[in-house]
Amino acid sequence: MAKPTPLSGFPEWLPDGRIVEQHVLDTLRHTFELHGFAGIETRAVEPLDQLLRKGETSKEVYLLSRLQEEPGQGSDKQLGLHFDLTVPFARYVLENSGRIAFPFRRYQIQKVWRGERPQEGRFREFVQADIDIVGAGELPYHFEVEAPLVMAEALGALREIGLPPVRILVNNRKVAEGFYRGIGLEDVEGVLRQIDKLDKIGPEKVSELLVTECGATEDQAKACLALAAISGSDVGVVAEVRALAESHGAVTELLETGLTELGALVEAAARRAPGVVVADLKIARGLDYYTGSVYETVLVGHEQLGSVCSGGRYDTLASDGKNTYPGVGLSIGVSRLVSRLLSAGLAEATRSVPSAVLVAVVSEERRAASDAVASALRARGIPVEVAPSAAKFGKQIKYADRRGIPFVWFPGAPGEDGTVGPDQVKDIRSGDQVDAEAATWQPPSGDLWPRVVPRG
Amino acid sequence: MAKPTPLSGFPEWLPDGRIVEQHVLDTLRHTFELHGFAGIETRAVEPLDQLLRKGETSKEVYLLSRLQEEPGQGSDKQLGLHFDLTVPFARYVLENSGRIAFPFRRYQIQKVWRGERPQEGRFREFVQADIDIVGAGELPYHFEVEAPLVMAEALGALREIGLPPVRILVNNRKVAEGFYRGIGLEDVEGVLRQIDKLDKIGPEKVSELLVTECGATEDQAKACLALAAISGSDVGVVAEVRALAESHGAVTELLETGLTELGALVEAAARRAPGVVVADLKIARGLDYYTGSVYETVLVGHEQLGSVCSGGRYDTLASDGKNTYPGVGLSIGVSRLVSRLLSAGLAEATRSVPSAVLVAVVSEERRAASDAVASALRARGIPVEVAPSAAKFGKQIKYADRRGIPFVWFPGAPGEDGTVGPDQVKDIRSGDQVDAEAATWQPPSGDLWPRVVPRG
């Protein structure tokens, strides 16, 4: 077999990179669980008709087939790999609606697959970390305030390993829709689709498209752009939108509802996560199932990477005809975050293996003595490996050094008179070597497990 | 959308079942890391030619195709989902051979997919947890002793949640091959294939097949069955095999090498994991790439479930023509274990959500006070959620009760004179209710997080 080459769009990390990723995953999970979200996993596959239910052909679904189809099994449903965790979660909620308690708070951290053209920060296989809160029949607005604040806390907890601060941009569909209808534009979806292009093509081109594609007058287009230009991290933004709407005689009940909600979110965010949440009236999010708050998140200083955490409120996450399940949630693009942390050299692991200690082997005949030391240390929770061979100590120390293992343990060897000398442990960074007993020795707590730290 | 139904062979757990699975995964990971194994993940897909390299058509590979193939992309390699973690690991080792240090100790916990007919304990999508040690050019025998002992410790750590004890059955290919050649049988693979059927079809049928399929005489077949009948957990087993070989004039150098190795494994296991490892000379393992030790593991009392942890030594895990990488490893069938733990009612979670505390909401106007309590508790590492609505306290307590949340927190309410009374916390199991402060109150450590316990 020739040396294989990586597959574009299917990232894999070396062991030290995986330690960074694992730390990110552990931190997210811990934060989600502190907030009472229950973890679930769903299968990787869904029936194709479910995957395409929302017309999501743009996600480039991967279809499955079997190399050897069994006879009479051809009627199996066509299956595809899930391209997000929302579609599977909606199916899971319906399938288990009688067995889960609502409102249901769940997190889900899994790989998803999209056959898109790979590029910087866009993969064909990547990890998402989602939280959602789903209700049966109803879901109070305060969950739309809570969900982004949980994500702010989760992403904020990663700052200590070198993740840049995040900015969560929020908007409310009711504000946009209420405003557009108030100024006489009925094609709300169409207008949102054009506004969504602002960052890419700029206000002039968007203005043209609003006129040619959405039937807006020049004045209506101008009003839409004026709304989209409003942003801010305090409740002043609400007054600003209202003033703009009043100047166009465009204050509607829907707009007022949306402004009340947006104001509550901005106000709570200013108190609970100061400086993180910004109301940005141009955030549109393409997906037409959002019905209230919408969220996007950028890494400050890495805005061109795109959103690393997006989501919103949907009045119909799932429905089985009898019951409707509204939900609100956000999804972190974990692989996008981790690949930036690694490629931009923002974070690194203090070593590439779990072991804090390498127990040296004096001779193969005395390997059992080294195994016994290792067992005694592990019994007290210290990660340890035993040297692969009874090579010269210099070579054994080099084995530890290559992996970043900070300590090498030398079991006491029998002297000429037959008495066994004391064990010794060497900190190979400082060269300090001291007598030690496996039953009591403890590494400094910062050396016990590999840590992830900002790269100097 | 009608109520969806589960897909056969693609298991999913409810939140309390997922807590059991997560505990199993955490325990395995912790044990592997204590032994210095570095975690990696590989992509879910491999080129089809790699997946079929060992002629593994029996694994029923799932092939991938894209719903919308881009023009000019038809030359993409045909991809399939991996059916184990060994093939991807071998590819990873070759791809990164210049960037990893050998011997390389890695664990890998991921889903794999096989399009087989689903049955009890056999799934189409399931989680495997593998450890392997791979060397560059050489790999000393002592790793063949170490690997199953790490698994014995990992599986042993699950006994406290209700997993039955395990029995690891070991054999050595060199013993079998040396013996067969010693009695004059050259078709070693063929004989192993028939011996592998012993448990299914019994010794008489196997004897017939050895004669008809492998060209054995009646005496040779009898000798093979006599070897297969030997088992034991101490070094006596080595003497027994040697005596049998001597009685057939079948002592070969290869047999002696194999017996030395097997004896060392049994001896070390008796010391380090008493009663767990049993030499069983009928263990054959179908795969023809094993070249030394082979392992299978049964749950005591659940033998009919099949092996829950298998593996062995392979002299050529990977090779790029220039270098050869020998390895030894085992793979735990995590989904098989977890599904048995759940379906046989062996283990259960103490609650279905992470939250230790539900903070009640006195009125929607005072929700911020409840949020503040929750934040204060979380800041001290206590998992908390806030009640979804300001319903009557009885209903809020019921919300906690349905999820198994042990404590409900009542923020102090302003009295008629405007002063705010003290917060109180109620243990809803005992009904005890006491004054408490969010800055200092601590739940009993056993209640902090959901635990997994044997089912009474």
Side-chain angles (χ1 to χ4, degrees):
Chain A
M1 176 180 181
K3 193 176 176 73
T5 49
L7 276 181
S8 174
F10 292 87
E12 290 183 337
W13 316 124
L14 287 168
D16 57 345
R18 173 62 183 168
I19 290 174
V20 173
E21 180 176 59
Q22 187 69 64
H23 179 90
V24 171
L25 296 172
D26 289 347
T27 302
L28 297 178
R29 170 182 161 194
H30 182 68
T31 308
F32 299 160
E33 292 185 346
L34 273 181
H35 287 262
F37 288 83
I40 66 162
E41 288 212 337
T42 57
R43 62 192 189 221
V45 304
E46 295 293 334
L48 185 60
D49 54 356
Q50 281 308 305
L51 292 171
L52 301 182
R53 203 157 55 95
K54 305 269 189 190
E56 286 287 12
T57 52
S58 64
K59 293 294 190 296
E60 282 278 8
V61 173
Y62 279 109
L63 298 177
L64 292 191
S65 57
R66 299 234 306 279
L67 192 56
Q68 301 149 298
E69 203 72 40
E70 287 165 38
Q73 297 278 310
S75 62
D76 270 8
K77 271 192 179 176
Q78 171 73 66
L79 300 176
L81 295 176
H82 57 218
F83 55 79
D84 72 6
L85 302 177
T86 306
V87 171
F89 176 55
R91 190 261 314 151
Y92 180 96
V93 165
L94 288 185
E95 195 174 309
N96 298 296
S97 59
R99 285 169 287 186
I100 52 185
F102 294 96
F104 179 43
R105 307 159 68 82
R106 86 85 175 79
Y107 76 89
Q108 191 170 346
I109 302 177
Q110 285 186 254
K111 288 189 176 147
V112 305
W113 295 268
R114 297 181 187 179
E116 298 175 357
R117 194 181 291 275
Q119 43 182 281
E120 163 88 43
R122 177 171 294 179
F123 302 110
R124 293 184 157 185
E125 175 180 68
F126 55 100
V127 178
Q128 288 194 326
D130 284 26
I131 59 167
D132 283 274
I133 303 145
V134 60
E138 53 163 20
L139 188 76
Y141 175 74
H142 63 77
F143 289 118
E144 292 175 56
V145 177
E146 180 185 4
L149 292 175
V150 174
M151 287 309 204
E153 192 175 315
L155 294 165
L158 295 172
R159 290 196 56 186
E160 69 177 35
I161 66 161
L163 191 76
V166 298
R167 189 175 300 125
I168 302 181
L169 310 172
V170 304
N171 194 2
N172 191 301
R173 274 289 165 89
K174 293 172 189 166
V175 172
E177 181 170 349
F179 184 86
Y180 300 153
R181 293 197 192 279
I183 60 172
L185 286 171
E186 294 300 321
D187 180 11
V188 174
E189 287 303 321
V191 175
L192 283 171
R193 246 195 319 277
Q194 305 309 334
I195 293 294
D196 209 15
K197 299 175 184 165
L198 263 172
D199 282 344
K200 263 191 201 149
I201 62 174
E204 280 180 38
K205 288 247 170 68
V206 167
S207 182
E208 277 173 37
L209 288 168
L210 286 172
V211 172
T212 56
E213 301 292 316
C214 309
T217 65
E218 294 286 344
D219 273 357
Q220 287 171 326
K222 216 170 146 186
C224 291
L225 291 176
L227 179 69
I230 295 174
S231 76
S233 58
D234 61 44
V235 287
V237 84
V238 168
E240 211 176 326
V241 173
R242 189 175 289 115
L244 178 70
E246 280 169 357
S247 76
H248 287 84
V251 178
T252 60
E253 200 179 326
L254 189 62
L255 176 73
E256 280 298 342
T257 306
L259 284 177
T260 303
E261 293 186 354
L262 188 60
L265 173 48
V266 168
E267 194 254 335
R271 197 175 59 237
R272 289 161 62 179
V276 173
V277 172
V278 175
D280 186 335
L281 278 291
K282 76 170 180 296
I283 299 299
R285 307 279 313 143
L287 301 169
D288 60 1
Y289 49 77
Y290 290 124
T291 51
S293 303
V294 289
Y295 319 104
E296 286 190 4
T297 308
V298 292
L299 284 186
V300 175
H302 299 256
E303 288 78 3
Q304 79 297 350
L305 187 62
S307 179
V308 295
C309 176
S310 310
R313 153 92 185 207
Y314 22 75
D315 283 339
T316 311
L317 169 69
S319 170
D320 57 11
K322 246 184 9 226
N323 297 296
T324 296
Y325 300 89
V328 60
L330 296 98
S331 175
I332 295 178
V334 176
S335 299
R336 182 174 284 189
L337 277 186
V338 171
S339 92
R340 180 53 61 106
L341 282 172
L342 297 176
S343 69
L346 299 171
E348 65 182 353
T350 52
R351 55 186 189 254
S352 66
V353 296
S355 312
V357 180
L358 175 75
V359 182
V361 174
V362 178
S363 69
E364 283 304 328
E365 292 68 40
R366 295 187 51 75
R367 175 171 292 278
S370 299
D371 286 337
V373 168
S375 286
L377 292 171
R378 281 185 205 117
R380 294 190 299 108
I382 302 169
V384 183
E385 58 187 284
V386 176
S389 78
K392 286 183 179 159
F393 281 162
K395 204 174 159 194
Q396 298 192 44
I397 290 170
K398 203 170 160 197
Y399 175 98
D401 192 41
R402 277 199 68 181
R403 291 158 177 80
I405 300 174
F407 296 97
V408 177
W409 190 284
F410 301 101
E416 288 184 4
D417 62 352
T419 60
V420 177
D423 290 6
Q424 292 205 310
V425 65
K426 183 191 196 81
D427 182 331
I428 65 171
R429 297 160 302 187
S430 65
D432 291 348
Q433 185 164 336
V434 296
D435 287 1
E437 282 179 36
T440 55
W441 178 83
Q442 193 71 30
S445 65
D447 287 333
L448 186 58
W449 292 100
R451 284 170 300 118
V452 178
V453 294
R455 204 150 153 178
Chain B
M1 177 181 180
K3 194 179 175 71
T5 51
L7 275 181
S8 173
F10 292 87
E12 289 183 336
W13 316 124
L14 288 168
D16 56 345
R18 172 62 183 169
I19 289 174
V20 173
E21 181 176 60
Q22 187 69 64
H23 179 89
V24 170
L25 296 172
D26 289 345
T27 302
L28 298 178
R29 171 182 161 193
H30 181 69
T31 307
F32 299 160
E33 293 186 346
L34 271 181
H35 287 263
F37 288 83
I40 66 162
E41 288 212 338
T42 57
R43 63 191 189 222
V45 305
E46 296 293 333
L48 185 60
D49 53 355
Q50 282 307 306
L51 292 171
L52 301 182
R53 203 157 56 94
K54 306 269 189 188
E56 286 287 11
T57 53
S58 64
K59 295 293 190 295
E60 282 277 11
V61 173
Y62 279 109
L63 299 178
L64 292 191
S65 57
R66 300 233 306 279
L67 191 56
Q68 300 149 299
E69 204 73 41
E70 289 166 36
Q73 296 278 311
S75 63
D76 270 8
K77 270 192 178 177
Q78 171 74 65
L79 300 176
L81 295 176
H82 57 217
F83 55 79
D84 71 6
L85 302 177
T86 305
V87 171
F89 176 55
R91 191 260 315 150
Y92 180 96
V93 165
L94 288 185
E95 196 174 309
N96 298 295
S97 58
R99 285 169 286 186
I100 51 184
F102 295 96
F104 179 42
R105 307 159 69 82
R106 86 86 176 78
Y107 75 89
Q108 192 171 346
I109 302 177
Q110 285 186 255
K111 288 188 177 148
V112 305
W113 294 268
R114 298 182 187 178
E116 299 175 357
R117 193 181 290 276
Q119 43 183 282
E120 163 88 41
R122 176 170 295 179
F123 301 110
R124 292 184 157 185
E125 174 181 69
F126 56 100
V127 178
Q128 289 194 326
D130 284 26
I131 60 167
D132 283 274
I133 303 144
V134 61
E138 53 164 19
L139 189 75
Y141 175 74
H142 63 77
F143 290 118
E144 292 176 57
V145 177
E146 180 185 2
L149 292 176
V150 174
M151 286 309 205
E153 192 175 314
L155 294 165
L158 294 172
R159 289 196 57 185
E160 69 178 32
I161 66 161
L163 191 76
V166 298
R167 188 177 298 128
I168 302 181
L169 310 173
V170 304
N171 195 2
N172 190 300
R173 273 290 164 89
K174 293 172 187 166
V175 173
E177 181 170 350
F179 184 87
Y180 300 153
R181 293 198 192 278
I183 61 171
L185 286 172
E186 294 302 321
D187 180 10
V188 173
E189 285 305 321
V191 175
L192 283 171
R193 244 193 323 275
Q194 304 311 331
I195 293 294
D196 209 16
K197 299 176 185 165
L198 264 173
D199 281 344
K200 262 191 202 149
I201 62 174
E204 279 180 38
K205 287 249 170 67
V206 167
S207 181
E208 276 173 38
L209 288 168
L210 287 171
V211 172
T212 57
E213 302 291 317
C214 310
T217 65
E218 294 286 342
D219 273 358
Q220 286 170 327
K222 216 168 144 185
C224 291
L225 290 177
L227 179 69
I230 294 174
S231 77
S233 58
D234 61 44
V235 287
V237 84
V238 168
E240 210 177 327
V241 173
R242 189 176 288 116
L244 178 71
E246 280 169 358
S247 76
H248 287 84
V251 178
T252 61
E253 201 179 325
L254 188 63
L255 176 73
E256 281 298 342
T257 307
L259 284 178
T260 303
E261 293 185 355
L262 188 61
L265 173 48
V266 168
E267 193 254 335
R271 196 174 59 238
R272 288 161 61 182
V276 173
V277 173
V278 175
D280 186 336
L281 277 293
K282 76 170 180 296
I283 299 300
R285 306 281 312 144
L287 301 170
D288 60 1
Y289 49 77
Y290 290 124
T291 52
S293 303
V294 289
Y295 319 103
E296 286 189 5
T297 309
V298 292
L299 283 187
V300 175
H302 299 255
E303 288 79 3
Q304 78 297 350
L305 187 61
S307 179
V308 295
C309 177
S310 309
R313 153 92 185 209
Y314 22 75
D315 283 339
T316 311
L317 169 70
S319 170
D320 57 11
K322 246 185 7 227
N323 297 295
T324 296
Y325 300 89
V328 60
L330 296 98
S331 176
I332 295 178
V334 176
S335 299
R336 181 174 285 190
L337 278 186
V338 171
S339 90
R340 179 54 61 107
L341 282 172
L342 297 176
S343 69
L346 298 171
E348 64 182 352
T350 52
R351 55 185 189 256
S352 66
V353 297
S355 313
V357 180
L358 175 76
V359 182
V361 174
V362 178
S363 68
E364 283 304 329
E365 292 67 41
R366 294 188 52 77
R367 173 170 294 278
S370 299
D371 286 337
V373 169
S375 286
L377 291 170
R378 280 185 204 118
R380 295 191 298 110
I382 302 168
V384 182
E385 58 187 284
V386 175
S389 78
K392 285 185 181 158
F393 281 164
K395 206 175 157 194
Q396 297 193 43
I397 291 171
K398 205 171 158 195
Y399 175 99
D401 192 41
R402 277 198 68 181
R403 290 157 177 82
I405 300 173
F407 296 97
V408 177
W409 190 284
F410 302 100
E416 287 186 5
D417 62 352
T419 60
V420 177
D423 290 6
Q424 293 205 308
V425 64
K426 183 192 195 80
D427 182 332
I428 65 170
R429 297 159 303 186
S430 66
D432 291 348
Q433 185 163 337
V434 296
D435 288 0
E437 282 179 34
T440 53
W441 178 83
Q442 193 70 31
S445 65
D447 287 333
L448 186 59
W449 292 100
R451 284 172 299 118
V452 177
V453 294
R455 203 149 154 180

